[in-house]
Every structure is written in structure tokens, then in C-alpha cells.
Amino acid sequence: MGISLPLTEQREMSAEIPTDPDRARYPQYGRYLDELEPGQVFEHPRGFTFDTANMLHFARTHMQANPLYLNAQYARAHGFPDLPASPQMVFNVTLSLGVQNDSEKAMANLGYYQVQFVRPVYPGDSLRAFTRVLERKDRGPDKPGIARIRTVGVNQHDQVVLQYERKIMVGWRGDRLPTTPAPEVSLEFPGEHSPMVELPLHDAPAMAGLTGPNTYCDDFSPGDIIVHANGRTITEEHMALTYLVGNSHPLHFDRIFSSGLSGKMSGEPIVYGGLVFAWLEGLASRDVSEHALWELGYTEGYHTQPAFAGDTVGALTRILAVDDAPGSGDYGVVTMQLIGVKNISAAAALDKHGGDLFVKEDAKRGLGKEKITDKIFEIERRLLVRRRTA
Amino acid sequence: MGISLPLTEQREMSAEIPTDPDRARYPQYGRYLDELEPGQVFEHPRGFTFDTANMLHFARTHMQANPLYLNAQYARAHGFPDLPASPQMVFNVTLSLGVQNDSEKAMANLGYYQVQFVRPVYPGDSLRAFTRVLERKDRGPDKPGIARIRTVGVNQHDQVVLQYERKIMVGWRGDRLPTTPAPEVSLEFPGEHSPMVELPLHDAPAMAGLTGPNTYCDDFSPGDIIVHANGRTITEEHMALTYLVGNSHPLHFDRIFSSGLSGKMSGEPIVYGGLVFAWLEGLASRDVSEHALWELGYTEGYHTQPAFAGDTVGALTRILAVDDAPGSGDYGVVTMQLIGVKNISAAAALDKHGGDLFVKEDAKRGLGKEKITDKIFEIERRLLVRRRTA
Amino acid sequence: MGISLPLTEQREMSAEIPTDPDRARYPQYGRYLDELEPGQVFEHPRGFTFDTANMLHFARTHMQANPLYLNAQYARAHGFPDLPASPQMVFNVTLSLGVQNDSEKAMANLGYYQVQFVRPVYPGDSLRAFTRVLERKDRGPDKPGIARIRTVGVNQHDQVVLQYERKIMVGWRGDRLPTTPAPEVSLEFPGEHSPMVELPLHDAPAMAGLTGPNTYCDDFSPGDIIVHANGRTITEEHMALTYLVGNSHPLHFDRIFSSGLSGKMSGEPIVYGGLVFAWLEGLASRDVSEHALWELGYTEGYHTQPAFAGDTVGALTRILAVDDAPGSGDYGVVTMQLIGVKNISAAAALDKHGGDLFVKEDAKRGLGKEKITDKIFEIERRLLVRRRTA
């Protein structure tokens, strides 16, 4: 076992090897519509190792306020063996790992559905991801089609940590170069049908001085609207952050590529949507999730406008439901709608658009309403939140 | 102990829940002058876990040259059990943790006083912070007042690591929304009256090849001026760095907020002053503190002009005193004044302004001198510095 | 052992100490040509501690696709005891540590030669670096001269991890201030004459689902040209990244300095060349090095044009040789030429310039060819790459 290599002098060679431009090849990644077949399974490249520092960095960059993701002492006091990665980071990473196979040729990410966080991720864990193509909807030879895919992230013990569905819009290959083949898949496609989350939570409240007194489960009722005070100006940082979570789509960091596109994506690199969602969730966190001990999931997530470097994003939350948590009186499950706006404060957006801010953009036409171009994102989230009495 | 949660399908709900904009609430953070009462104590939210990576990242981002904060082998060779966090980072973090209660509504940070570093912080330590309001100076109903506050940072063993005072300028609430209440305080207000720093230093010098031969304690005399050669251009990075140290004031990262202000703070987000100080200290470090083994403290720290993305900052140091370290001939205590300038090199600033650079800006009027608008910062620092003979 | 320091009140002192601008000193770093003597040895300041997070951050920031540098599970499955630092990062750091002595006064980095990676670097390792001046070529009193230097990086066990030569262009001191003296050197100048790399590799392939099926050693033949699809827009991030790897040259982060220069370096801060190389290597990695288990070395590396914030860089690779690895049928040694371009896609650059892209720029005049200003970098690399059959 092992190999011994002598390091000999490295002789210059380039002038001796004839150059023939016809020997050029142009590897392409992602899949065109014709290359996506329902039932097809991809194992995604590289994987991703989490450690305390990249977890803290992700949480803080995106304005996270829940101490569970910022303070290891707090996490341990609540029963976790170590600082857990924020579900938002697990989502960003898993989705990004899939880009090279799933969507590096996609023209748009249409939506996130049934995102489920099945297990915590801790420092030292290495994740990898798998995708199955569920459905391909062709809309004729002149139009991009829509693929529905299912992605699962697993840890180094092959345990599912996250699963979700996504719809993407993808064009036909036409006379473009075919994309690079995927490797053999090493594992049966994973996934859990009726997942149970097991959390090592303590019954007793702990370190309550580190969170506010009026953001317990008991403080929320269906219909409450919470307007989050602070915004965040996104800078060109987003280009590096894209690949820091593993996303390889050039739309987000290659100005030559993005300015060469035609249509409304043409121009400056677009901020990867996962990062936009992360900022919005962070901006909302001190008002609605600082007492959350688990994010159960998301659904119906849509990026309704792109964001660019220089944009300032803001967030609003509307409470949709407050339910008992199964088997425990110490927590409740709060379902909420998270809305993002840009280049207008959240308060001004509510003044300007009123309740229409909370109507899904793709339902607007059917309701005879105008789309709201200040609005950039909408999603429904479900969280496990501690009760005050606990 | 522990909880089991079934992850059921997440049914879309937003269309079913009536939206009533009158149900909106607008949580506000920070305190207006009327909300600050002398004697009041806050426990600050979230806390902050230090790890090797965020310590190295902070030190390097801010141009630190003392190997003690960059090289774990060097730190161990000097007697530390592990890489210590730079006192500058501990100061930045502790101050930032206090912003949500102390100063998120403040209009200006007026000064830092009696900053004392009481214990080292190591990787894995989690800090939290407490503030007591010491004094509130009203200047009439039409004018913002001045609050004097005392803040203490403690580690996970409830030991004090840092304590200091700060003056801030805060406006009256008037008819604005009240701010969110603070939680009950979990600990008696901490702090040490006659703190002793215990440092595990070895007597023998170690790894002297990693530091310069002419920056020992013996190389400094009162009156010496050291002009630091390099400057640092601050980029939009500062917006992310602000919350990386835990500071939640939107003035530093929310362009909608900062451009909506009236007066001289209006416009681009202002660089958080703690970061400015960190850059200046780093730029000075290879000339004055590469042999420092402890930063005893700071006082009389003033940000005399704001800095913005695009500004290039530079630094000068003047030696104020060189004293024996109590009980040890191997070290001395060097007191020095650190001055920051912007958009002019440190050497050109000294040429242009001469000794007036070292006169406190708020003493200028009394001395019949003009304020220096090139100057952005002034502070006095006390460091424990190894002697050459040691 | 240890020291106890009472923290007494810090009395304000600056007004009491007379200020005399004639007491100013201006420490300078780097060496002018007259200060570089063949045979001279420098031990470089500070050193640098690697940890998992800064390794992952470096790899991801620069678009690395080889899972060996991104995924600890993958690294262990291949026989490494932990995630190894990417050789590219080890090169960037070692070179940067040398800047304060070697090149902080240099006007240009002329080339990299015989870069050899002798041992892996793991999380927790602390590196320091030494340089010997090999040769000084004077070109007359009015012209900058050329110094050839040899630099060696060692770990905390004083084992060599990296060694290389570099040529730099340096001006005469003239009537400028002398530079600060270097400390005594603590170690005999290290270096290995016939280095053997010992790698703890397993024979069996592992986790092949994380890498592509057509980038094994067997997939490359001399003369192959691979055009890498994605580019990367470099942002002002480069200023912070420069000192994150330890490089102290103000040309890269001090706009006052860089805009004060005369000639073609004048203007915006120039991106540190090590970072440019890292981005190009990363952009190439998923096409040519995702199965690489060691980087044996580089030679004949030249930065033929500078890069600035806002530039988008792209990369092409040409295969120069494919050889058996000594003593193992499971791997081959692939020698390749890496070419960087800017503000043009790699594919468009090949269309426009054809085979001339692969001709060394300093050979162009002798061949009657024009230099290519779209081209920013050229180097030859040697990698140990797994065979498909293994």
C-alpha cells in the first residue's frame, strides 16, 4: 500500500509537442432536455465536507440569528452533540452538488417542492447527492421543456439528510455539443417515504437569555404578518459564495457567459437563488425562528425575479398555521410564508402592495391581478418552535 | 429525552389563509434614549463560537502580522495551549453582540474607554455579552442624548474575557415604534474590578526567525513615530464582515436603510468602526506588535470620520510610554497611540499635517487648531512586548 | 512559568508626550537589487497554520473540482489520513510567506521553475518558508536587475513540503530608504536534492461515483487540447484573498500605492498572480485533474498579462505527455500545459488564436509571431492520475 514517486527535474516540453487545434475537445456539463430521461439516476460529483467554520461562515454571511447555528454552547445545552449545520446550508449545498448533472444547462429553476430535512448534519460530515428524473414535459420542438427531478442528500453513513423535488426549464440540445456522461451510480437511489426526524432535544429550556422573549411558538397565530426591519445589500461576494456551496452554473460567476446570453437573463451574473433564499431566511430569523430547533421543510418555493450584485433584499413573513408538535407539549409546529422583495424596504413593500404580496405570483393572472416586480421570492416553511411554557 | 417527528407531506396553505395587512407587526431592535435607564442590564442575544478558522480568517483579513494569531506552532512554542484569538477579534465580536440591545438605534458610536482583555479566548470557546447602562445624558427634547454603557464578554465558563465602556449618541423615540423587549438576564452582571491577567508564557524566546529583529520592546522609546508603509483598500467585503462578527446594525449592510437617512450618515453603508480599527491595527502590526504577547487594553478610542467601500486606509503609531512589566524582566509594557488616515498614504499625511495628526480631534477647537478630515481614527493601546534580551 | 499582570486603569497619555515629526521612522520591507546577495538566506516571517476550513475555502473559492480537496470522506477512502491541502494552496502560501523578504520591492514576478511538491500538508500543520538568493543579474545602473531565488516550505517537523525557484525583477535602491533587516535564520537552509514523494494511497479505486468516467489517465494523449467551458469573473475579493494566503505586497490591496506607480503597473490593484493561477487550475480541474492524486510539480510558469478586479478568466489545457508512474500500474503521470486567457471565452480564444495560444510568449519574437494580449498565463504541470483499470 502506498506509492513512492521520485521527483525528477521537470523538463520543458511544450515546444516539442505539435499543436493541432483540431485535436480540441470541449467538455460540457449539465443536460439538455433530450438527455434527460424519466427514471434516470445521477450520482453527483465531488461531495462536500461540512466543518464548524464553513457552517458558521454560511450562517453569519446570510444574517442568521438563531443561536443554534452560531453558538456551540447553546446547541449542546439544547441536547445536540455539536453545532448542527443550518438546514438552509444543507439545502444550498445539496442542490448545488446536483447542478453539474441536473441544471448546468437549465435556463431557469422553476420551483422547490417537498423539501424535507431528515437528519442533522454536524462538523466533519461529508455529504453527497443523487437525483432521479421523475418527469419530462415537452412543449414542442421550439420551446424549452420542463423536467421534474427528485434529489436526495446523504451523509458518509449513507443516511438521508435531505430530500426534495425541483422543476427546471431546459432547452433542447439541437446541434449543440452533447454533455459529458455521468459515472455509474454507486448506491441504490436513496430516499425515505415516511421519514421520521429524531432530534436529541432536552426537555428543559436552556440559555433563554440568548433569544428574545416574544418569539416563542405561543407568540404566533395564523394570519400574523411580521415585517422584518433590516435589509441586506448583496455585493459581488455572491460569485464566490456560489461555488463555496458547490454550485457550478456559470450564470452566477462568469460574466462572459451571462453577458453572452440572449433574453432577460443576459447581462450581469445572476445571484444563485439558494443564496437569495438564505439571505431572506436570515433576515427573518430573529423575528420568527430564533427559538426554532428544527426546520421540517419547505414547499412551493419560487424565485419570481432574479437578484444581482447591488440589489438590497428584504423579507416579510406571514404565519399560516400553528400546530401541536406530535408527542410533545414543549414545542409547536409553525407553518409560515416567507416573501422576499428587493430595492424597497419590507415595510414600504407592504404599504405599496398590501395583501397581494402574499398571493403566489403564478396565481396572479387567474385572479386578475398584476405581478409584483418588487417581489423576488415566495415559499412556505414549517418549523419546530419551542413554547414559552417549556 | 429527544423527540421523534414524522415528516408528512407539506400541503400548500397560503391561499387558504386570509391576508389582513392590519395584522402586520414591525419588530424593532436597539433602544431609543427614552428606553435606556441607568442601572438597566441586558444579556445580549445569540453569542458567538470561536474556532481556529474564523480566528485565522479575521486576523488575515485585517492584515495581522503577529505570528501569535496566525501560526499555532508559534503560539504553542510560547506557552499558549492553542492559537489564541486576537484581542482585536474578541473586541469586535463582543461589541457586535451588544449592538442589538445597545446601539442598533444609535446614531453614532462616540468612543471606547478602558477596554481590558482579561483572559485569552481559544478555538471552541463560546462567548456571550452583557451590558449595563451607566449613565444617560439628556440634552433636551430636540437633541439626541448620550448614553454611557459598560459591556462585559464572558466565555462558556462564565469567566470574563473582556470589559469596556462605550459612549453612544441616541435619539429620543418620539412617535416611532417601541423596540422589542430584552429577555430576563440569566447571570448577575459580571465584571472584574482589579483584574489580573494570567498568561501561560514560557520564559525562553522561541521561533525568533518568524519575527523581525528590531521590533522588540527595547526598540521603542516615548516619542518615536512609526509610519506604516502599506495601506489597505476596503471593498464592499465590509458588509459581510459586519455580520461575520455579529454586528446587526443596518447602517453597515443595508443600502435602503443608509440611503434613507438624513444628514451626514446618508448614502452608502458606512464601514463598521470595529473593522476599521482592526485594519489599522493590522497595518501597524509588523512594525510595532509582532513581538507582543498580550494586548492589555485600549482607551480614548474615537472614529473621527466614517469610512466607506473604496476608501484606502493607512496607519501611524506614536510611542507614549515604555515600562517594565510587573514581575518579569523578559517583557515590557509599551503604550502607543494608533492613528488612522484615509485616501492619503500615512507618510503623506505626516508630511501634510505634522504633529497635529497626534492631537485628539475633540481637543482641536480648544487649541485653536483645525480638525483633520483625512484622519479617521485615534486610540491609545497598551501591549506586553518581549524584550530582545529575553 | 507564566506571568500575572494586573490590569490597572489606563490613563490617557497622548497629550503629555511631545510630538516631534523628526522622530518618525518609515520601516520598509522587501529588498532592492543592491540588498540581494547571492548565497544570502532568509527565514520568512509569521508562518501559516492550515486547517480544514481554510483549505476548503481556498479550494472552493478557486473553483476546485477534485474531490480530494473538497471531501474528507473521499480523501480517507483513497488512503490519506485526512483531507490534504491542495498543492495549489501550499504553493500560494509558501510563495506569499516569502514576499516580505523576497519581492515586496520587486517590480515583477518573471517566472516559476521546478516547483516540486514533496509532502502532503494536513489540517493543523504550520508551514514556514526559507529563501536562498541564487543569482543576481545586473543590467546596468539605470535598469532593474533580475534575481533568481530558491524557496523551500517546511512543516512543523522541519520536513520539506515544497521547493521551487523564481525569477523576479527588482530595481536598485538608489536614494530610497533601506529595507528592514531580516532576523537570524534558525535552521540550515532546507531542501531536497532527489526528493521522493511517499503517498499513502490505497490500491483499490474508491467512490468512483464522485468523479467523471472520462477523465482517467487513459483518456489523455499527447496533443489533446481541452477547452474548459466555464470562466470566472474575479471581483475585488482578490484584495482580501491576497493576505489570506499571507502575501504582503501592497500592489495587490493598496490603491494609494498602486495608483502612485508610474508605468504599466499604475492604476487599480493587480490581482496576485498566485490567485490567478489558482483560478485557472480550478477552472480546468473537472476536465483534467479530478482523478489526480498528486501534483508532482510545475515549471516554466509565466504571467504574461496582469489581471484586475472585473476581469473574467478562462482556461485551456494541452496534454504534453502521458507516462507510466514508477512502480505502479494503477496510475500514470500526465504532463500538461495550462493556458489562461481573460475577457474572452476559452473557446473563442482558441478560434481566434489557434495553436499560437500554446506558444510561450517570450518565444514569440524569435518565431516572428505577435504576442497575444488576451493571454494571461502559461505553465507546464505534472500530475499523478489514476488509470481507469485501477
Side-chain angles (χ1 to χ4, degrees), chain B residues 75 89 102 190 320 339:
Chain B
M89 180 178 180
D102 299 342
L320 301 176
I339 300 294

Side-chain angles (χ1 to χ4, degrees), chain B residues 296-331:
Chain B
L296 302 184
Y298 318 132
T299 201
E300 297 289 321
Y302 303 101
H303 293 280
T304 59
Q305 294 286 336
F308 300 93
D311 284 345
T312 300
V313 298
L316 305 92
T317 294
R318 189 167 66 112
I319 306 300
L320 301 176
V322 181
D323 299 298
D324 290 340
S328 170
D330 297 339
Y331 308 91

Side-chain angles (χ1 to χ4, degrees), chain A residues 52-53 56-57 60-61 63-65 67 70-73 114 116-117 195-202 208-211 213-214 219-227 229-233 235 237 286-287 296-300 310 312 318 320-321 326 328 331 335 337 343-345 347 350 355 358 360 380-382 384, chain B residues 1-15 17-29 43-51 53-54 57 100 104 124 126-128 155-158 180-186 236-237 239-241 243-250 253-257 269:
Chain A
T52 306
L56 290 173
H57 183 265
R60 292 199 177 114
T61 294
M63 319 300 289
Q64 183 57 247
L70 301 170
N71 184 336
Q73 184 190 7
Q114 300 301 329
Q116 295 182 322
F117 295 98
M196 291 288 292
V197 182
E198 307 286 340
L199 297 174
L201 301 180
H202 291 172
L210 297 183
T211 46
N214 53 11
D219 297 300
F220 301 109
S221 303
D224 288 350
I225 292 170
I226 301 107
V227 181
N230 290 348
R232 174 61 150 75
T233 301
T235 71
E237 70 196 312
R286 64 180 176 175
D287 297 331
L296 302 183
Y298 319 132
T299 201
E300 296 289 321
T312 300
R318 190 168 64 113
L320 301 176
S328 169
Y331 308 92
T335 305
Q337 193 184 12
N343 300 333
I344 184 171
S345 73
L350 185 59
F358 300 95
K360 274 170 65 179
E380 298 189 15
R381 311 166 59 194
R382 256 194 324 191
L384 181 75
Chain B
M1 207 141 86
I3 181 170
S4 296
L5 289 171
L7 290 177
T8 53
E9 194 186 349
Q10 189 171 347
R11 200 171 47 78
E12 185 179 359
M13 301 182 67
S14 70
I17 309 299
T19 302
D20 177 0
D22 292 342
R23 294 279 303 276
R25 51 186 199 246
Y26 299 80
Q28 299 294 308
Y29 298 89
E43 178 166 1
H44 299 306
R46 297 184 287 277
F48 190 102
T49 292
F50 285 71
D51 80 344
N54 62 26
H57 183 265
Q100 181 164 315
E104 201 170 316
S126 293
L127 255 56
R128 55 202 209 285
N155 64 20
Q156 69 276 23
H157 309 299
D158 294 337
T180 205
E184 294 285 309
V185 176
S186 69
E236 290 189 337
E237 70 194 314
M239 300 196 214
L241 292 176
Y243 200 76
L244 277 188
V245 293
N247 186 327
S248 57
H249 201 309
F253 49 72
D254 176 357
R255 192 178 279 137
I256 300 283
F257 176 86

Side-chain angles (χ1 to χ4, degrees), chain B residues 79 85 123 160:
Chain B
V160 174

Side-chain angles (χ1 to χ4, degrees), chain A residues 6 12 23 82 89 97 108 151 156 159 184-185 212 226 228 235 242 250 270 333 336-337 356 358 372 386:
Chain A
E12 185 178 0
R23 296 279 302 277
D82 198 347
M89 179 178 181
L97 288 176
T151 297
Q156 69 275 23
Q159 296 170 316
E184 295 285 308
V185 176
I226 301 107
H228 309 300
T235 71
T242 297
I270 289 172
V333 173
M336 58 184 72
Q337 193 184 12
D356 286 352
F358 300 95
I372 297 177
R386 187 177 282 275

